Amino acid sequence: MLKSLEINGFKSFAKKGDIRFTSAITAIVGPNGSGKSNVAESFRFALGEQSMKSLRGKKTEDLIFNGSDMMPRANRASVKLVFDNSKRLLGVDFDEVSIERVIHRDSLSEYYVNGTQVRLKDVVELLAAANIGSSGHHIISQGEADRILSANIKERKEMIEDALGLKVYQYKRDESVKKLAKTRENMERVASLRREIAPHLKFLKKQVEKIEKTKALREEVRALYRDYLANERAYVVAEENAIAESEKGPQVELAQLAIELARAREVLESSKVRDARTDEVVILESEIGALRVRKDACAREIGRLEGELASLVRMKAREESKAIRGDIAVSWREIETNLKDVIGACESVSGSSDVNALQNALGQAKSVVATLLLKYASETIKSDTTEIDAEIVTLTQGREEALKALEVVRVDEELVSQKRKSLEFAIDSDKDASRDAEKELFRIMALENEARGKLSMLKVRKDKIHIEKEAFAREVEEGMVLIGRSVYEYESHQVTGKSGTDRSVQEDCRRAIERIKVRIEDSGALGGEDVVREHNETEERDTYLIKELADLEASIVSIEIIIKELEERLDVMFKEGIKKINDRFGEFFALMFGGGTASLSIVREKKRKRALEEGELPDPNENEEGEEGVAIDVSLPRKKIRGLEMLSGGERALTSIALLFAISQVNPPPFVILDETDAALDEANAKKYGDMIESLSKHSQLIVITHNRETMSRASVLYGITMGKEGCSKLLSIAFGEAVLVAK
Ligand code: ATP
């Protein structure tokens, strides 16, 4: 089923080379150091070997052709195995399957199945199904033939298990064990989550119990809150509206009064003009004074002229009487009476400035004197009075002028007085107006004070309602803490009756709420709805965790069953496998040694003992039972040798070959690679070895790397490897005759 190997850049294979496996046995021959073992390793490499040690390297780069004197080093190594899959041994639906691994100097490995890049895991799984293990039990490296003999019982057991194809089940079991551990971890995690929430849940449970107990109280306080808050809100709203309404009147009034006040102030302002008028009055008064002085002067002039006139008249009369009769006797009584009349007239106006009165008195006096003169005129003779007459005329004229001047002054005075009078009247009426304005001012201010007073009273009410509003908000907050959102029920609650205006009723209600609050607080159950909700959520979570735990427990049980079943199956298969191997092992052993016996046995070695053997300190707590392993018992013909340790090198090689072949026959792998497994055999044994590989090749394809002529003769296809001057390995198909030469 192995079709070909293609190798390129891997180790000593600088150039691309391929081997076609067209027959059951293919031999690879060549001198030492030509690169034969590199071919065996190239198989391990392609099958996904991860151990650098198994590939004889330290680092990945060691696997890439490192260059020679004549050839540059390669940057990439690739090995491709091509399988015939017409029998569908590999679980993919292709007649031919190629598996390729590529490495670069600077990158990780790449794997390809039929040219498609895959993961290592995919390659391993694909091959395991066809009993091509990555552990490479079917690739026996140089010097490793007796590894199965030198291994300890546990390692040996593993090698046999691998060869028997039990790895798949072991893998399944290990996966289940991992899953079990993971599930247990999950279970522990869930349990610890439960433990974590347990105290909180307990606390919440207690709280909920308390809340249940205080439920009635809460209902009561809820109803109280609803009524109280609804009434309080109605009261606040009504009061605010009433205040706003009451404010309107005084505010409007104040605005109106401000206008009136401005007007009154204007009036008062204008009264300053009055002072200027007063000054004018003073001027007029001094004018009047001056006119009076002039009038008095005029009156005095008239008086003087009239006095002179009277004395001239008297003088004329005396002259005239003298001329006519000289002295005439005139009664004294008559003269005295007349003089007294004159004096009386004069005295009646003495000190008066009244021109009319003065004129009257003057007229009176004149007529008294004229009458007397006329009585005695007939008795007188005519005399010369011309001068006197002329003077009288002059004086009379003068008097007439003086009277006229007096009249002018009088008229002027009259005019000025008139002017003053009207000015005074104006001043007086002004005075009246400002007095009125002043009065108005006082009136307005009084009204303003009144309005302000009203407003400040309202301000007091406003402040009070503001405080009550704040108290309301506080109350709602507290209610929220106590009964949650249901505190807002008041918003849709209809108020009836006085709706909070009766403050003492409200106050009683508030006190009742306060009392219940204290009782609820004393009960220690706070939080209400939130706590109940949290409790329910926590309980739900706990229930979920319990269910989760049960599920995990169930899956643990089922995983444990699976593990047990797998273990039982592995046990059965292993024991059966050992039995079958023993049958073949005994046969091959007897064939190789011409007799004797060999068998495998399942043993349980005490750990303590094994640990000591391996130089480790035994763990005192470890199970004394120890681990299961596989022991080999041999007994050579004609010799009393029973232990493996006592075998010679050739005997060891023969024994291990017998065992390896026995194992390979029980569960034949598709191919087996034997790298100089025959190196230690002498000619006789090489022949037996040749017989064995021939019978083995009936079940598995064989690739033998050998220097042995006998072995070569059993192969139908031979490949020679040479290492030329270039320092790199070369592959070539050769005939048997050539092979013998090449091998040397
Ligand atoms: P023997 O018959 O003695 O067992 P062999 O034919 O099995 O020899 P190998 O062990 O396969 O020889 O090849 C070893 C050769 O491969 C050595 O000469 C070594 O220098 C060469 N070699 C190993 N790795 C590289 C590499 N990365 N680049 C170049 N050459 C390498």
XYZ file of all heavy atoms in Angstrom, residues 182-229:
413
model
N -12.013 17.765 33.737
C -12.596 19.066 33.391
C -13.997 19.185 34.004
O -14.347 20.200 34.593
C -12.659 19.167 31.857
C -13.027 20.509 31.349
C -11.786 21.182 30.736
C -12.004 22.669 30.674
N -11.310 23.459 31.616
N -14.753 18.083 33.876
C -16.119 18.092 34.408
C -16.081 18.232 35.926
O -16.873 18.970 36.511
C -16.857 16.799 34.012
O -16.654 16.591 32.626
C -18.336 16.906 34.276
N -15.134 17.524 36.537
C -14.996 17.627 38.003
C -14.640 19.054 38.391
O -15.179 19.596 39.358
C -13.914 16.677 38.498
C -14.391 15.241 38.480
C -13.727 14.423 39.605
N -14.383 13.151 39.728
C -13.882 11.990 39.332
N -12.680 11.958 38.783
N -14.561 10.876 39.476
N -13.737 19.633 37.594
C -13.350 21.026 37.826
C -14.582 21.932 37.743
O -14.803 22.775 38.602
C -12.382 21.470 36.722
C -11.033 21.941 37.211
C -10.094 22.115 36.030
O -10.385 22.966 35.170
O -9.106 21.359 35.963
N -15.349 21.711 36.674
C -16.577 22.499 36.489
C -17.499 22.330 37.674
O -18.091 23.282 38.166
C -17.317 22.059 35.224
C -16.700 22.678 33.998
O -15.903 23.605 34.103
N -17.042 22.167 32.835
N -17.572 21.056 38.127
C -18.463 20.774 39.238
C -17.998 21.524 40.486
O -18.803 22.134 41.179
C -18.468 19.281 39.488
C -19.826 18.795 39.894
S -19.837 17.034 39.950
C -20.455 16.827 41.581
N -16.695 21.501 40.673
C -16.134 22.188 41.839
C -16.409 23.692 41.726
O -16.769 24.355 42.695
C -14.623 21.895 41.930
C -13.911 22.493 43.143
C -14.740 22.443 44.421
O -15.297 21.373 44.787
O -14.864 23.515 45.054
N -16.276 24.182 40.491
C -16.506 25.607 40.244
C -17.969 25.967 40.566
O -18.250 26.921 41.275
C -16.208 25.921 38.771
C -15.911 27.370 38.487
C -15.444 27.548 37.054
N -16.223 26.757 36.095
C -17.420 27.096 35.651
N -17.977 28.203 36.036
N -18.064 26.323 34.796
N -18.870 25.113 40.065
C -20.299 25.365 40.299
C -20.591 25.266 41.793
O -21.300 26.103 42.361
C -21.162 24.371 39.489
C -22.626 24.522 39.854
C -20.978 24.611 37.999
N -19.990 24.237 42.424
C -20.228 24.059 43.863
C -19.699 25.274 44.618
O -20.335 25.756 45.559
C -19.547 22.785 44.348
N -18.547 25.776 44.166
C -17.983 26.918 44.895
C -18.829 28.165 44.647
O -18.983 29.004 45.532
C -16.513 27.125 44.537
O -16.350 28.167 43.626
N -19.408 28.239 43.445
C -20.341 29.355 43.183
C -21.526 29.274 44.139
O -21.970 30.272 44.695
C -20.857 29.311 41.739
C -19.932 29.881 40.670
C -20.565 29.720 39.297
C -19.670 31.355 40.926
N -22.012 28.043 44.318
C -23.148 27.856 45.233
C -22.743 28.249 46.662
O -23.475 28.927 47.350
C -23.590 26.390 45.240
C -24.648 26.090 44.217
C -25.430 24.859 44.646
N -26.458 25.181 45.615
C -27.008 24.317 46.442
N -26.622 23.074 46.448
N -27.950 24.692 47.285
N -21.548 27.806 47.024
C -21.062 28.135 48.366
C -20.936 29.644 48.529
O -21.257 30.192 49.567
C -19.700 27.479 48.618
C -19.795 26.022 49.042
C -18.491 25.566 49.677
N -17.364 25.656 48.766
C -17.058 24.750 47.847
N -17.785 23.655 47.717
N -16.016 24.916 47.043
N -20.474 30.266 47.421
C -20.296 31.722 47.463
C -21.610 32.453 47.700
O -21.680 33.386 48.482
C -19.721 32.206 46.128
C -18.271 32.611 46.212
C -17.691 32.815 44.833
O -18.273 33.580 44.049
O -16.652 32.191 44.547
N -22.648 32.029 46.970
C -23.911 32.780 47.099
C -24.739 32.338 48.305
O -25.667 33.027 48.693
C -24.769 32.743 45.805
C -25.153 31.311 45.436
C -24.083 33.443 44.669
C -26.214 31.271 44.346
N -24.343 31.184 48.888
C -25.154 30.644 49.984
C -25.402 31.647 51.120
O -26.557 31.859 51.491
C -24.538 29.361 50.513
N -24.327 32.292 51.668
C -24.598 33.214 52.783
C -25.491 34.383 52.372
O -26.370 34.805 53.120
C -23.212 33.721 53.181
C -22.238 33.062 52.325
C -22.921 32.233 51.319
N -25.272 34.847 51.150
C -26.076 35.968 50.658
C -27.535 35.538 50.522
O -28.454 36.257 50.920
C -25.528 36.432 49.314
C -26.140 37.702 48.823
N -26.209 38.843 49.596
C -26.734 38.007 47.644
C -26.818 39.781 48.913
N -27.152 39.309 47.723
N -27.708 34.340 50.011
C -29.066 33.823 49.825
C -29.750 33.678 51.186
O -30.924 34.023 51.346
C -28.995 32.475 49.100
C -30.335 31.856 48.714
C -31.074 32.748 47.732
C -30.145 30.485 48.090
N -28.970 33.208 52.153
C -29.506 33.026 53.505
C -29.952 34.379 54.066
O -31.061 34.509 54.600
C -28.408 32.423 54.385
C -28.939 31.707 55.604
C -27.809 30.973 56.299
C -27.983 31.009 57.792
N -26.762 30.681 58.498
N -29.072 35.352 53.887
C -29.384 36.713 54.350
C -30.659 37.224 53.680
O -31.566 37.733 54.336
C -28.196 37.627 54.033
C -28.490 39.088 54.191
C -28.542 39.682 55.449
C -28.755 39.882 53.070
C -28.823 41.026 55.587
C -29.049 41.222 53.208
C -29.084 41.788 54.468
N -30.719 37.043 52.358
C -31.874 37.537 51.602
C -33.149 36.826 52.054
O -34.206 37.446 52.164
C -31.660 37.328 50.107
C -30.626 38.247 49.454
C -30.356 37.810 48.030
C -31.106 39.692 49.467
N -33.022 35.537 52.320
C -34.182 34.766 52.760
C -34.744 35.363 54.045
O -35.949 35.559 54.192
C -33.755 33.315 52.986
C -34.679 32.335 52.299
C -34.133 30.932 52.379
C -34.389 30.248 51.050
N -33.451 29.215 50.733
N -33.818 35.659 54.977
C -34.234 36.243 56.257
C -34.911 37.573 56.023
O -35.946 37.890 56.623
C -33.014 36.424 57.154
C -32.784 35.222 58.020
C -31.733 35.518 59.083
C -31.287 34.215 59.724
N -29.882 34.274 60.124
N -34.289 38.358 55.139
C -34.860 39.681 54.821
C -36.267 39.532 54.260
O -37.167 40.259 54.643
C -33.965 40.407 53.799
C -32.685 40.934 54.383
C -32.910 41.977 55.461
O -33.710 42.882 55.295
N -32.257 41.811 56.586
N -36.406 38.575 53.351
C -37.717 38.382 52.717
C -38.747 37.981 53.766
O -39.881 38.468 53.754
C -37.608 37.344 51.572
C -38.985 36.928 51.100
C -36.822 37.935 50.426
N -38.312 37.116 54.693
C -39.224 36.726 55.771
C -39.677 37.949 56.553
O -40.859 38.130 56.845
C -38.520 35.755 56.732
C -38.631 34.308 56.283
C -37.640 33.410 57.007
O -37.229 33.744 58.138
O -37.269 32.376 56.407
N -38.707 38.801 56.881
C -39.025 40.025 57.630
C -39.952 40.907 56.806
O -40.903 41.494 57.331
C -37.740 40.787 57.940
C -36.975 40.205 59.098
C -35.696 40.980 59.308
C -34.812 40.305 60.348
N -33.469 40.868 60.325
N -39.652 40.988 55.524
C -40.470 41.823 54.645
C -41.902 41.309 54.631
O -42.860 42.083 54.697
C -39.873 41.866 53.223
C -38.606 42.728 53.249
C -40.863 42.431 52.224
C -37.735 42.585 52.038
N -42.037 39.976 54.603
C -43.381 39.387 54.624
C -44.114 39.839 55.881
O -45.278 40.204 55.839
C -43.281 37.850 54.613
C -42.886 37.273 53.267
C -43.884 37.593 52.171
O -45.092 37.513 52.423
O -43.425 37.975 51.053
N -43.363 39.786 56.993
C -43.969 40.160 58.270
C -44.406 41.615 58.260
O -45.417 41.983 58.845
C -42.966 39.918 59.404
C -43.017 38.490 59.905
C -42.088 38.326 61.103
C -41.696 36.865 61.271
N -40.467 36.727 62.033
N -43.622 42.467 57.662
C -43.942 43.899 57.686
C -44.838 44.309 56.516
O -45.093 45.475 56.309
C -42.656 44.747 57.639
O -41.942 44.360 56.468
C -41.814 44.580 58.859
N -45.303 43.301 55.803
C -46.118 43.587 54.607
C -47.357 44.408 54.980
O -47.697 45.395 54.299
C -46.532 42.280 53.955
C -46.651 42.405 52.454
C -46.895 41.059 51.842
C -47.017 41.229 50.331
N -47.162 39.980 49.651
N -48.040 43.983 56.069
C -49.258 44.672 56.486
C -48.950 46.132 56.806
O -49.668 47.048 56.388
C -49.845 43.974 57.706
N -47.828 46.312 57.505
C -47.424 47.672 57.868
C -47.170 48.498 56.611
O -47.550 49.652 56.505
C -46.148 47.639 58.715
C -46.313 47.208 60.160
C -44.944 47.133 60.828
C -47.181 48.202 60.914
N -46.541 47.872 55.680
C -46.229 48.555 54.417
C -47.502 48.941 53.685
O -47.619 50.036 53.142
C -45.411 47.641 53.508
C -43.959 47.762 53.737
C -43.197 46.744 52.930
N -42.028 46.371 53.678
C -40.950 47.129 53.793
N -40.901 48.282 53.187
N -39.927 46.752 54.525
N -48.465 48.013 53.685
C -49.743 48.311 53.029
C -50.373 49.537 53.681
O -50.869 50.434 53.000
C -50.693 47.111 53.152
C -50.493 46.092 52.043
C -50.436 46.730 50.665
O -51.369 47.484 50.309
O -49.430 46.518 49.947
N -50.307 49.533 55.027
C -50.909 50.627 55.779
C -50.209 51.945 55.436
O -50.854 52.947 55.110
C -50.747 50.327 57.272
C -51.764 51.032 58.140
C -51.534 50.695 59.617
O -51.156 49.535 59.909
O -51.713 51.584 60.436
N -48.895 51.890 55.476
C -48.138 53.123 55.244
C -48.293 53.570 53.790
O -48.316 54.758 53.483
C -46.658 52.951 55.639
C -45.832 52.343 54.537
C -46.061 54.292 56.036
N -48.501 52.590 52.935
C -48.677 52.912 51.516
C -49.957 53.729 51.323
O -49.961 54.764 50.647
C -48.746 51.602 50.742
C -48.911 51.795 49.271
C -48.780 50.447 48.604
N -49.603 50.379 47.421
C -49.765 49.282 46.706
N -49.197 48.162 47.077
N -50.502 49.308 45.629
N -51.055 53.263 51.986
C -52.326 53.992 51.870
C -52.179 55.388 52.472
O -52.656 56.386 51.911
C -53.425 53.217 52.583
N -51.509 55.425 53.630
C -51.322 56.723 54.299
C -50.523 57.671 53.416
O -50.868 58.843 53.250
C -50.588 56.525 55.623
C -51.451 56.027 56.778
C -50.564 55.698 57.971
C -52.493 57.067 57.185
N -49.456 57.133 52.847
C -48.603 57.944 51.968
C -49.427 58.488 50.808
O -49.307 59.631 50.421
C -47.464 57.091 51.413
C -46.142 57.349 52.096
C -45.383 56.322 52.612
C -45.647 58.648 52.219
C -44.183 56.549 53.251
C -44.447 58.893 52.848
C -43.718 57.851 53.361
O -42.526 58.090 53.987
N -50.243 57.596 50.246
C -51.018 57.985 49.072
C -51.906 59.179 49.421
O -51.890 60.204 48.732
C -51.854 56.790 48.625
C -52.465 56.944 47.255
C -53.409 55.807 46.985
N -54.386 55.692 48.069
C -54.874 54.549 48.529
N -54.467 53.419 48.013
N -55.743 54.531 49.512
N -52.651 59.070 50.549
C -53.567 60.157 50.936
C -52.774 61.402 51.302
O -53.062 62.505 50.848
C -54.406 59.724 52.144
C -55.427 58.683 51.721
O -55.540 58.443 50.493
O -56.083 58.104 52.609
N -51.769 61.166 52.149
C -51.015 62.316 52.658
C -50.359 63.093 51.520
O -50.505 64.300 51.415
C -49.930 61.833 53.640
C -48.994 62.921 54.063
C -49.384 63.888 54.998
C -47.716 63.029 53.513
C -48.534 64.908 55.367
C -46.864 64.053 53.875
C -47.275 64.986 54.804
O -46.439 66.011 55.152
N -49.684 62.376 50.665
C -48.950 63.056 49.584
C -49.906 63.702 48.587
O -49.647 64.813 48.110
C -48.013 62.082 48.867
C -46.839 61.584 49.717
C -46.060 60.507 48.981
C -45.897 62.737 50.083
